[in-house]
Amino acid sequence: MPGNAEIGVSFDDMHSYTDWGLRLKEVKIGIPEAKTVYVDVPGSDGSLDLTEAQNGGVKYGMRTLEFTFDARNCSYQRWTNIISRIARDIEGKQKRIVIDIDSGYYYTGRCHISTDKTNEVTAEIAIECNCDPYKLDITSSNEPWKWDTFNFVEGVIRNTSDIKINNTTGWQSVVLDGWDYNETLRIVSNAAMKVRYRNYIFEIAVGENIMYDIELFEGKNELFFQGSGTITLIHRGGTL
């Protein structure tokens, strides 16, 4: 992460300070609104809350990130050049957004810029991003964890690469730590085998298997494998 004077925001491989020379002035991280469902019941007080009755819990709408930057030593000519460059890089485009002060996670959203200039010296540039509700872990479970982004207070080391399975008659346990939000689990195997999860058994083929029917939950998720070979579990999750 850049030093204190260079703290900013990355949009894919473009950094607000390193590439554009902008100093971060203000950050607003919107909280996504829950998609509530209420049903009026005749003859009953209030309404019936069905928000968590379907689809595995609370679902959320989009969230808004807003960043305000200062451009220093910015003449009118430099201002027109820099806003054109930023517009070419991100305007209307979906980007992977990483805030330096929370660099262990990324947001995914579509970006829009606006700008204001009232003198020959400075300019203000704002970037608004319409993002998916969850910020996702930078590191997938099968990737080496990174010292510079790891949170030593709340972080969990998830190492799920090259797990040896050697049980052809019984079941071998593998535990996954789930997030608030979990992407679809993928299992890469070098041999045909089976996996059991919550009393359901699924066939695993050689290669990559996308496990749409395995819904992971926050906390400990125990999977049981039967067979002989090596597997890698590819799992990424996130939080609000």
Side-chain angles (χ1 to χ4, degrees), residues 165-173 191-196 201-204 223-229:
I165 303 297
N166 188 21
N167 198 328
T168 57
T169 57
W171 296 93
Q172 182 175 328
S173 172
M193 59 181 74
K194 296 179 181 179
V195 59
R196 190 181 82 224
I201 296 175
F202 307 97
E203 298 288 337
I204 301 296
L223 293 84
F224 298 89
F225 289 86
Q226 185 179 88
S228 180

Side-chain angles (χ1 to χ4, degrees), residues 176 182-187 195-198 200-202 204 210-217 221-223 225:
L176 271 181
N182 299 280
E183 291 190 336
T184 301
L185 174 66
R186 292 179 287 158
I187 302 176
V195 59
R196 190 181 82 224
Y197 180 70
R198 294 181 178 265
Y200 292 96
I201 296 175
F202 307 97
I204 301 296
I210 304 176
M211 309 305 297
Y212 293 110
D213 293 322
I214 292 182
E215 183 180 357
L216 300 176
F217 295 89
N221 294 266
E222 192 168 18
L223 293 84
F225 289 86

Side-chain angles (χ1 to χ4, degrees), residues 31 59 68 75 85 98 114 146 155 226:
I31 301 300
K59 301 302 178 185
T68 304
S75 66
R85 180 182 177 185
V98 178
S114 58
K146 300 177 177 62
Q226 185 179 88

Side-chain angles (χ1 to χ4, degrees), residues 43-240:
S44 181
D45 292 327
S47 299
L48 184 62
D49 186 352
L50 300 179
T51 301
E52 299 182 61
Q54 306 177 60
N55 302 319
V58 180
K59 301 302 178 185
Y60 296 90
M62 303 293 280
R63 75 192 306 165
T64 301
L65 305 184
E66 297 178 68
F67 308 104
T68 304
F69 302 93
D70 278 336
R72 308 285 178 87
N73 301 317
C74 185
S75 66
Y76 279 97
Q77 182 176 358
R78 181 174 181 270
W79 175 60
T80 58
N81 291 337
I82 195 171
I83 61 176
S84 292
R85 180 182 177 185
I86 298 171
R88 287 197 306 270
D89 288 340
I90 68 170
E91 176 61 34
K93 298 175 182 178
Q94 182 168 281
K95 294 293 179 178
R96 175 169 159 148
I97 302 158
V98 178
I99 308 171
D100 287 347
I101 57 173
D102 191 22
S103 59
Y105 297 92
Y106 70 91
Y107 301 84
T108 301
R110 200 164 296 280
C111 304
H112 170 66
I113 69 170
S114 58
T115 184
D116 182 60
K117 183 169 176 61
T118 59
N119 60 70
E120 181 69 25
V121 179
T122 62
E124 186 174 275
I125 296 175
I127 300 176
E128 181 177 301
C129 309
N130 187 32
C131 297
D132 295 336
Y134 290 95
K135 61 180 184 181
L136 299 182
D137 193 354
I138 285 287
T139 307
S140 178
S141 65
N142 64 308
E143 298 171 342
W145 60 288
K146 300 177 177 62
W147 284 96
D148 56 346
T149 62
F150 186 72
N151 185 322
F152 286 90
V153 177
E154 299 178 353
V156 176
I157 298 174
R158 297 169 167 85
N159 185 2
T160 59
S161 295
D162 300 325
I163 301 170
K164 304 294 184 184
I165 303 297
N166 188 21
N167 198 328
T168 57
T169 57
W171 296 93
Q172 182 175 328
S173 172
V174 175
V175 176
L176 271 181
D177 289 296
W179 293 85
D180 303 346
Y181 166 80
N182 299 280
E183 291 190 336
T184 301
L185 174 66
R186 292 179 287 158
I187 302 176
V188 179
S189 178
N190 67 354
M193 59 181 74
K194 296 179 181 179
V195 59
R196 190 181 82 224
Y197 180 70
R198 294 181 178 265
N199 297 320
Y200 292 96
I201 296 175
F202 307 97
E203 298 288 337
I204 301 296
V206 175
E208 181 175 295
N209 301 261
I210 304 176
M211 309 305 297
Y212 293 110
D213 293 322
I214 292 182
E215 183 180 357
L216 300 176
F217 295 89
E218 182 181 4
K220 301 296 183 182
N221 294 266
E222 192 168 18
L223 293 84
F224 298 89
F225 289 86
Q226 185 179 88
S228 180
T230 301
I231 61 169
T232 291
L233 307 182
I234 303 175
H235 169 230
R236 192 190 301 271
T239 183
L240 292 176

